[in-house]
Amino acid sequence: MTIRPIVRYPDPRLALPAEPVTMFDDALRELTQDLLETMHAAPGIGITAPHIGVSLRVVVLELDAREGPRTYVNPEIIQTSPEMILHKEGSVSMPGVNDEVERHARVRIRYQDLDGNMQTEESDGLRAVCHQHEIDQLDGMFWIRRLSRIKRERLIKRYDKISRT
């Protein structure tokens, strides 16, 4: 297990869609362990392979230490609730800043586990927000693009100032 360097905003790789995983092997398991170690070191509660410069559709979340980490390979949202919620979001690729983003209150996702088996999961609250946030990242949609232009510009200025100090 290795803590990998995190790709920082505004790196253009964060705006590229990730490639589907086709090989479910030891290299994939090693990648997910590296993602988990890197996420813990950041610290964060969610990370994708593109956050460490690997263009694959892999997400690791750990929202509750008792439940432990969950890995989602090739995840996609298959159903959303009409109800929306606001939740503060940030990114390991843009540490030190966050803002409220509007997301669906509940989602159902389809994904593969580390053996390639198809799974579905329904989530609400923080887990639903994280699913949407990380799947956006896999699609090349960095979270600040969900903010209004004014909020986004203000947040980028704040991040630039933090990054210089």
Side-chain angles (χ1 to χ4, degrees), residues 29-47:
R29 284 176 174 70
E30 187 176 311
L31 172 64
T32 62
Q33 286 303 308
D34 289 355
L35 284 167
L36 182 61
E37 291 293 314
T38 304
M39 180 183 75
H40 285 156
I45 59 172
I47 194 166

Side-chain angles (χ1 to χ4, degrees), residues 39-89:
M39 180 183 75
H40 285 156
I45 59 172
I47 194 166
T48 67
H51 283 121
I52 62 168
V54 177
S55 184
L56 288 173
R57 296 186 70 83
V58 179
V59 172
V60 174
L61 296 179
E62 188 170 22
L63 308 183
D64 182 338
R66 291 170 305 199
E67 277 186 30
R70 293 192 192 174
T71 300
Y72 304 88
V73 180
N74 299 324
E76 59 181 326
I77 296 170
I78 56 173
Q79 190 175 358
T80 59
S81 69
E83 302 86 29
M84 304 297 281
I85 57 173
L86 281 175
H87 201 281
K88 255 196 202 316
E89 296 185 26

Side-chain angles (χ1 to χ4, degrees), residues 45 60-64 67-72 85 87 104-107 109 121-134:
I45 59 172
V60 174
L61 296 179
E62 188 170 22
L63 308 183
D64 182 338
E67 277 186 30
R70 293 192 192 174
T71 300
Y72 304 88
I85 57 173
H87 201 281
H104 295 279
R106 290 181 309 286
V107 297
I109 65 168
E121 182 177 319
E122 291 188 28
S123 59
D124 59 12
L126 177 59
R127 187 169 301 277
V129 167
C130 290
H131 284 153
Q132 292 167 84
H133 175 104
E134 303 302 356

Side-chain angles (χ1 to χ4, degrees), residues 4-14 38 41-43 50-53 91-96 142 159 163:
R4 305 248 202 125
I6 293 175
V7 173
R8 299 287 185 205
Y9 178 85
D11 192 301
R13 291 176 290 178
L14 295 170
T38 304
H51 283 121
I52 62 168
S91 174
V92 295
S93 289
M94 197 179 204
F142 195 64
Y159 176 67
S163 298

